[in-house]
Amino acid sequence: MNRKTLVLPAVVGLLAPVLAACGGSDDGGDAIVVGTTDQFVASKDAPAPLDPAIGYEAGVWNVLRQTVQTLTHIPRGGGAPAPEAAKSCAFTDTENESYRCTLRDGLTFADGTPVTPEDVKYSIQRVLDIKDESGPIGLLANIDTMETKGDKEIVFHLKTPDATFPYKLATPPAGIVQKDKYPAKSAREGFQVDGSGPYTMKPEVEGDQVTKVVFTRNPKYKGDLKVRNEKVELDLFPDAAAMGKALDDKKIDMMTRTMSPEQAQSMLAKPKDGVKLTEMPSLAISYLAFNTDDPAVKDKAVRQAIAQVIDRGAVAKSVYGSTAEPLYSLIPSGITSHTTSFYDRYGEPSATEAAKILDKAGVSTPVKFTLHYTTDHYGPATKAEFETLAKQLNASGLFQVDVKGTPWAEYRPAQMKGDYAVYGMGWFPDFPDADNYTAPFLDENNFLNSPYRSSVAENTLIPQSRREADRSAASPAFDKLQDIVAEDVPVLPVWQGKQYVASLDGLTGVEWSVNSSADLQLWELGRGRDLPEDGVQGEFEEVVLGLDVPVEGHRG
């Protein structure tokens, strides 16, 4: 989700707890103040962390979604994408290879410059041209050509059929940017983000690191979102404890990524007066990944034996308590086509069965390797999780495993270079469809830069699944993809997070402010009243997108 390490976008308990208090802004305004442990740092190797063509992490996307407008968006209640910067979008052929969008009337950037189809084309082409190796290019790589027509229309011609394309146009890399502010062939360095979205933004920076982002309602915004506040401040904290203290001191109104499991458990066990805690669906997952070219795990029997030994339930219970649950497929519960392929294949954890797998393959034991994890990206419980996994593997007598933590700024580049045999990652979906839990790991230019290849997955099953406009009809292909992952184990799902939202009386819209993909939707927040509509927001032409995607669960 890199992002979504998206991944992801990322979060360790994969919680998006939200706590409201009586905060305020430095300028004395009535800003809603939101806390996060996400960090935005510019470095020599990553000078442009907030460029839509570069940034592919959950925290980065949470900034971009507030400021950079996309042609489509996922509606408040979930379901198929709806027009956003566009007033209408639809496939124009039965093969789902040609997609046409018509822009809204009077659409402008925040500075008043008109938004044109050429701007849309420019914005997406620069993602394809920059082609950042750890960026979001995979979401748009299926675009063959783009054709503008007049001052309102743009047509996307795809290389292969893709019924999920409207979802991809709803992601930040498809955001519309200005030519004079974003170079065509290189990234925009620094932390400033400009667009036509619901807010303008101003980062506060110390050294090479952002400490706060101030979002101010964009009066020129025209789109499908209703903005319910004038200003939101995103305050960045070094860890969950510091963020929690700020909440206790009423310096923030809302606490998001990432609460520690202990903080969530404490609130569950001892509710606070005036605080409502609600569990909401979450589509974020945690998994182990393998460099299948590394000698330690090149033999798939080793990876299968690891899958046979680990006890997901024990990891979830001992480390995360009630804030996570075991996961037996890359496709999580709550997404159409979810199965339990790993449980179906391996059943209950068993060192005896794992020994049989290794013995049959002629693998000598103990198998030695290091479990790598990042110390500062997925939350404070990551270390305990990996120590628990190592303990389970070592207790089997089949493995000799060490554990090593590395800061994210070093971790991600090393992972991409193939320095780690076995490593942990998290995934926040780019969009709520089974395709986004399979293609990023199994398709060409996969997010992990993994050497693993399945010709059946890449050349047959993924293209087959994308032809189905009715996503439930794609389930047979996704069933086979999940079985392939359980057989070859290029990645190993561990747990799926639960998401909690807690709020104090007086802050409205909290239930909509974080969706099941852990995306912040700051425009939903208010203080007991909605701003009057200006006659533009929420106004769009109802169209048939040519895509009916049933999504189990709640997308808000």
Side-chain angles (χ1 to χ4, degrees):
M1 120 149 97
N2 65 0
R3 168 186 143 44
K4 293 198 105 295
T5 27
L6 288 40
V7 358
L8 119 74
V11 73
V12 74
L14 297 179
L15 310 175
V18 182
L19 290 100
C22 300
S25 63
D26 292 340
D27 62 6
D30 190 28
I32 294 169
V33 185
V34 176
T36 181
T37 59
D38 289 320
Q39 302 296 309
F40 310 123
V41 181
S43 65
K44 181 179 179 181
D45 294 331
L50 296 181
D51 189 312
I54 305 295
Y56 196 25
E57 300 171 18
V60 170
W61 279 26
N62 281 339
V63 172
L64 295 176
R65 286 189 185 279
Q66 320 308 316
T67 48
V68 179
Q69 195 174 18
T70 50
L71 291 171
T72 62
H73 79 114
I74 306 301
R76 183 196 239 197
E84 216 299 71
K87 68 178 180 180
S88 65
C89 287
F91 281 108
T92 59
D93 65 334
T94 58
E95 298 298 320
N96 297 326
E97 287 185 308
S98 182
Y99 195 71
R100 182 191 303 266
C101 289
T102 302
L103 296 182
R104 293 178 183 273
D105 296 333
L107 195 69
T108 71
F109 292 105
D111 65 2
T113 304
V115 175
T116 70
E118 287 295 334
D119 292 315
V120 178
K121 180 179 179 179
Y122 176 88
S123 301
I124 292 177
Q125 187 61 53
R126 69 183 295 272
V127 178
L128 301 176
D129 290 342
I130 291 173
K131 200 176 182 178
D132 187 79
E133 65 176 9
S134 60
I137 183 174
L139 289 167
L140 304 176
N142 194 34
I143 295 174
D144 187 15
T145 60
M146 291 176 281
E147 177 185 5
T148 60
K149 296 187 175 183
D151 60 357
K152 290 292 178 62
E153 290 187 353
I154 182 167
V155 182
F156 300 91
H157 300 287
L158 308 181
K159 299 173 184 176
T160 59
D162 186 3
T164 70
F165 187 66
Y167 275 117
K168 295 170 182 176
L169 284 184
T171 62
I176 308 167
V177 300
Q178 291 173 264
K179 296 178 182 179
D180 62 342
K181 295 180 179 178
Y182 288 82
K185 305 289 185 179
S186 60
R188 179 183 182 177
E189 297 187 5
F191 301 106
Q192 185 59 45
V193 180
D194 295 284
S196 56
Y199 295 97
T200 59
M201 66 85 81
K202 180 181 179 181
E204 296 184 9
V205 180
E206 292 183 5
D208 293 324
Q209 187 165 353
V210 174
T211 58
K212 177 188 292 186
V213 181
V214 179
F215 295 103
T216 303
R217 184 173 183 255
N218 175 13
K220 297 184 183 298
Y221 169 70
K222 294 185 178 181
D224 193 34
L225 306 175
K226 183 179 180 182
V227 184
R228 292 171 168 81
N229 56 66
E230 288 290 349
K231 182 181 289 187
V232 180
E233 295 179 358
L234 188 67
D235 282 7
L236 279 60
F237 294 91
D239 52 44
M243 183 168 58
K245 185 177 187 304
L247 178 70
D248 293 338
D249 294 342
K250 297 186 178 182
K251 293 182 178 180
I252 61 175
D253 296 297
M254 175 169 140
M255 185 158 67
T256 62
R257 297 163 30 88
T258 305
M259 272 182 82
S260 69
E262 291 79 12
Q263 287 173 319
Q265 292 281 19
S266 176
M267 291 189 64
L268 286 167
K270 297 180 180 180
K272 297 180 180 180
D273 291 340
V275 176
K276 181 181 179 181
L277 189 66
T278 305
E279 180 182 330
M280 301 176 69
S282 172
L283 299 176
I285 68 172
S286 180
Y287 61 94
L288 295 179
F290 301 90
N291 175 1
T292 55
D293 277 351
D294 190 285
V297 294
K298 186 171 185 178
D299 192 325
K300 76 175 180 180
V302 174
R303 307 192 299 271
Q304 290 174 336
I306 295 171
Q308 183 68 73
V309 166
I310 69 166
D311 187 338
R312 297 167 175 81
V315 171
K317 182 178 180 180
S318 65
V319 179
Y320 299 106
S322 61
T323 65
E325 56 189 15
L327 180 64
Y328 297 94
S329 168
L330 271 180
I331 301 174
S333 172
I335 292 289
T336 300
S337 302
H338 163 73
T339 69
T340 55
S341 55
F342 273 84
Y343 188 85
D344 297 342
R345 180 175 182 85
Y346 300 101
E348 296 295 333
S350 172
T352 300
E353 293 301 317
K356 292 178 182 178
I357 294 172
L358 295 172
D359 184 62
K360 183 177 180 180
V363 176
S364 300
T365 59
V367 179
K368 299 179 182 180
F369 60 86
T370 297
L371 272 179
H372 291 269
Y373 71 94
T374 177
T375 57
D376 58 355
H377 197 68
Y378 296 120
T382 310
K383 179 180 180 181
E385 175 188 348
F386 277 77
E387 289 175 345
T388 301
L389 287 169
K391 185 177 180 180
Q392 290 179 356
L393 292 167
N394 290 334
S396 72
L398 303 172
F399 302 96
Q400 186 174 323
V401 179
D402 295 321
V403 179
K404 183 177 181 180
T406 305
W408 180 254
E410 302 171 28
Y411 185 83
R412 176 63 169 156
Q415 175 267 308
M416 288 290 289
K417 289 189 295 183
D419 291 350
Y420 304 149
V422 189
Y423 54 94
M425 297 287 279
W427 182 254
F428 296 84
D430 305 317
F431 52 89
D433 186 272
D435 178 85
N436 199 235
Y437 290 91
T438 50
F441 305 97
L442 302 175
D443 208 355
E444 184 181 7
N445 298 320
N446 66 80
F447 152 67
L448 295 172
N449 197 31
S450 170
Y452 172 79
R453 287 292 180 273
S454 166
S455 60
V456 174
E458 189 173 324
N459 301 322
T460 302
L461 295 175
I462 291 174
Q464 178 182 324
S465 71
R466 289 174 172 171
R467 293 189 184 98
E468 302 292 350
D470 177 359
R471 301 307 288 155
S472 61
S475 288
F478 287 121
D479 289 349
K480 293 176 183 176
L481 285 167
Q482 290 169 94
D483 289 342
I484 287 174
V485 173
E487 163 67 23
D488 292 347
V489 199
V491 291
L492 176 59
V494 180
W495 53 265
Q496 177 176 353
K498 295 183 181 180
Q499 182 167 256
Y500 293 90
V501 173
S503 60
L504 294 181
D505 295 338
L507 190 66
T508 62
V510 173
E511 67 273 25
W512 302 107
S513 64
V514 185
N515 67 19
S516 59
S517 298
D519 295 328
L520 279 179
Q521 301 178 146
L522 298 178
W523 53 86
E524 296 285 359
L525 296 172
R527 291 196 186 278
R529 62 182 177 84
D530 285 349
L531 291 173
E533 294 201 43
D534 57 11
V536 175
Q537 295 183 100
E539 179 182 312
F540 70 95
E541 178 181 320
E542 184 175 351
V543 303
V544 177
L545 286 173
L547 175 64
D548 181 16
V549 184
V551 179
E552 300 173 7
H554 177 59
R555 258 296 284 180

